[in-house]
Each structure stands twice: as C-alpha cells, then as structure tokens.
Amino acid sequence: MQMPVTQALLVLVFRGARAGKKPNLTAFCRRFGLSVSQLQHAFDQLEHAELLSFSARGESLTLKGLAVAASLSRGVKVTQRPLASCRSAAA
C-alpha cells in the first residue's frame, strides 16, 4: 500500500534533512505523477497541519513534524524489508 502524497513528502523532507541534502522534488513529482500546483498544495497542507514551517532559509520540520516523519519513516523501512524466510531467495 502506497502512503498518501503529503506523508510521502514529509518523509522525503525528513530523510533529506537527516542526510544534510535537499530533497529531489523533481523525482518525487515524477514518481507520484504530480504537477507543480499539486506539489504546492501538498506543501500547503503540511504547513497548515503545522508539520512544516517556511522561512527565508527554506522549509524546516517543526517538532510535531519531526515526530510524525520519524514514525512514518520507520514504518516505511519495516514494510520494505523482505521477510526473513525470503531474504535468501531475494538475494
């Protein structure tokens, strides 16, 4: 099951912040089939939910956003990992 666009965007920003890099929004839009206005709407939703804040330096995660993104990021890792019994077959 694929997560909603806003949650995926939050995880993307979170992982980019952890790596010290800017998120690749072009690849994100291609993967989800988003237009620029749809991407802006997703950012607006995250800002309205007080998960992201914007300043002259760019976007930043709020404390609430950091907690939600960390939880979502952990959940994505667990669901993407192959089952222990299938790892040898997957390798």
Side-chain angles (χ1 to χ4, degrees):
M1 184 171 128
Q2 193 174 15
M3 74 173 52
V5 172
T6 54
Q7 290 180 358
L9 182 58
L10 186 63
V11 169
L12 179 72
V13 171
F14 172 74
R15 288 182 176 170
R18 286 190 65 195
K21 298 180 180 179
K22 293 190 179 210
N24 187 343
L25 297 177
T26 303
F28 180 80
C29 287
R30 281 189 197 133
R31 185 176 49 192
F32 282 91
L34 299 177
S35 66
V36 174
S37 61
Q38 290 170 320
L39 179 65
Q40 180 62 48
H41 182 67
F43 271 117
D44 291 342
Q45 286 179 326
L46 291 173
E47 186 177 24
H48 185 357
E50 297 177 354
L51 299 174
L52 279 178
S53 63
F54 294 92
S55 65
R57 293 180 12 198
E59 74 275 347
S60 62
L61 290 163
T62 62
L63 188 57
K64 179 180 171 184
L66 185 62
V68 171
S71 175
L72 288 171
S73 183
R74 249 183 270 120
V76 170
K77 281 184 190 176
V78 170
T79 58
Q80 290 179 349
R81 188 178 313 151
L83 296 174
S85 61
C86 299
R87 285 188 189 144
S88 61

